[in-house]
Amino acid sequence: MEHVPPPAEELVLLDRELARLDLRRSQLLTRRTWLLSVLQAPGPGQTAPHTPRFPPPPGRAGPWGAAPASPASPFRPSAPPARARGAQNVLLTLGGLLLAIAAIAFTLVSWGQMGIGGRSAVLTALTVAALTAPAVLLRRGLSSTAEALGALASVLMVLDAVALYLVAVPDAGGLGYAAAASAVLAVLWAAYGLLLNRLRLPLPLAVAGAQLPLVLWAWAAEADALVFSVALLATAALDCAVAVWFKGVAVRVTACVGLCATGGAGLLVALVRSLSAVAPAGAVAPGALLLAGAVIALAGARRAPVTVAVAAGAVAGLAAVAAVGAVVAAGVPGGWAVQVYLVCAGLLLLGVRAPLGRPAGQGLVWAAGSVTAVSVLFSAAPVAVVLVGPMAQLGRLWAGAPEGGVRGALGAADLPWQEMAVAPVVLLSVAVALGAAFRSWDGVMRWAGPVLSPGPRWRAAVGASAVLLGWAGLTVLPPAFDVSFTTAVALQSVLVAGVVIVAVGALGRGTTGVALTAGVCGSVGAVGVALLSLATEPATYAVFGALLLLFAGAATALDAPGEPSRSPVVVTVQAVVTCAAVVCAAVLAVAFGASVGLASHETAPLLLVVPALTAGLGARLKGHPVALPLELTGGAVGLAAVVAALEDPPFLALVLALCGVLAAGTALRPERREVAGYLATALFVLASWVRLSASGVSSPEAYTLPVTVPALVIGVLRRRRDAAASSWTAYGAGLAVTLVPALIAAWGDPHWLRPLLLGAAALVITLLGARLRLQALLVLGGAVLALDALHELAPYVVQVAGAMPRWVAPALAGVLLLAVGATYEKRLRDARRLRDALGRMR
């Protein structure tokens, strides 16, 4: 009879057996990996080493004992051997450092306790021993020990120089002796490094020591700044030669560091002297030093890595521009020096044709671009004045042409315009150059050769920059020439028109970057000239009328057939200019009202002409993408009319009614019916409420009930003909006409009869809505009933709240929050069920 265990016990047995099989599989895979490594270990002509037939698995002793801890064993990998050479270097470095410290202490502390012979013998013996020992050690292969003793020898040589100064020439100048000693030490280290070329320290140390002699000699001679610059640049030239001709990495790195330090300091000193020159003759010598620095940088760029070569070319280009530009700029008025440097930067671009190598040529291009960018930034201040200045006219609407011409209109009559007159010249020069490059892009690329290889985005950026800088330069021209206010307004209007025409033409050609830049410039310019025109009445009509025609014409031109006109960018630009035209029309309407002497609320009906026109144009355009932005802008103008009429309730009721008529007319269109229909209803109802309030009616029900009853009858008939019609469409407006004014009146009524009747009516409406499943009745009736009850209970609530201790309110709030939090999920489900129930109602 076979025993069958219970299911639970059998499951345990199966799990144990599966675990045992997994362990056995893991052991076999490990053994297989080890065997493969053993078979692949012997090289050609060798036999496999003797290994046990079946070594024990890891972590378990076998009959053959523990597995040997060899590197080939896969079961017990040995720890990596210690890096003997690294430890040796650490020990040698510490030993050499301790010897150097001992030598310094001997020289500075114990020097005076020995005679001249003993002192000389000790230092000479130590130095000679430290210098000769590395040669013996290198022959025996002890390179690390040789490096340590070579470093010690270098320290001893410096101490020998200090000792020689203290004993032999104590009265000599310290700076002069230091210069001579550093030169001698640099030569000795260089000779020692070349003799023992396997030592890595002496040659870099010689390069580092060579940085000091010329500078220390100039310091000792109390030379002026130009001599210091000569010394620094001569040292940089030596560093450049070492970096170019020597092959050791440490030597070249040390030379490059010295080249950057000494060359940069020398160029900086020469640059400061050239900029401070008051006459061209005074800038010649610093300019020559700058050119020498440029030659050194270009010489080093020929064999430098690409990044370093580009940087060297940029430094050379900047130095050349500063050298030539400073000589010319010293003889021109202060403001025009920017234009001089800009011309020099343009001439620098001719250097890309010179055989300097591609990286150095790219550096020259970066240098020219940097000078151009700085020149443009120096010219940005007048542009900012012209853009911000027109805002001053907001405080003096139609006060007449300001004194001082256009400068007075901008509030900038006291600025130094004679020095700022160079700004438009600089901006227009750069714009013309960039525009020519944009137009002849392929020719410029062929002329530049391999130095320039930009992508198509660079061309778009160049074109956009040309438009931006050209517009900025032309914007600054009127105040720069101090023209009259009328002339300035006319010129700015023509400029806006030209920029908008450029934007439209660029969109037609598909050059999006140029088009968007021109569009932004046109928008900013339009705002500026519009604000400027507010100074006088004729200028306002002329400018806003011209802008209206310009924007309308641009929108019409962008609607021409063709593939580019269907792109999203074109549609967006067309919508923007259309909305701008609507805004201009609204400003003209307000201006006309102000001209005929109308008050602000009396101007509101005139403003409604604009949304009426936009509604008509929207109906004509129908499904055009611009139709919706056009009508929304017209709606915003209508809202502005409502705001303007707020101070006079009768006019407000008239404006609301007119807006309701416009919305009702828009609702005749099928695509606008849903939104415009509700809006028209709300506007009509709101107009009636405002009219009742303006008339001082204390019992609005007498006026609203005659409207509510037929409205509800019409709603019932509508529901009978169309059972799918919403209750809001059928009954919402009719009920709101009476309930809302009655609720407002009840909140201001101190008696009990009106709130009681309103509450009873609201209760009936709520119950009907719940019974007939009509959403409008339920929501309106319930809301009115709740607010009416709140009004009645408010005095008692206030009284009870005043009588309660102050801790009761936060305690009740905490209990409420705990209760809601504890039943959050249930409350959430209840809210969702309520939402679904309301959603199912008609």
Side-chain angles (χ1 to χ4, degrees), residues 30 70 79 89 130 207 282 331 349-350 385 400 422 506 525 560 562 567 668 672 687 760 837:
T30 304
S70 62
N89 291 335
V207 175
L349 291 176
L350 300 177
V385 172
V422 70
S567 65
L668 297 177
R672 302 283 188 262

Side-chain angles (χ1 to χ4, degrees), residues 24-49:
R24 181 59 178 165
R25 174 180 171 81
S26 176
Q27 292 176 351
L28 292 176
L29 289 175
T30 304
R31 174 66 180 174
R32 181 179 182 274
T33 304
W34 180 76
L35 290 174
L36 289 175
S37 65
V38 169
L39 292 175
Q40 296 173 358
Q46 298 179 355
T47 58

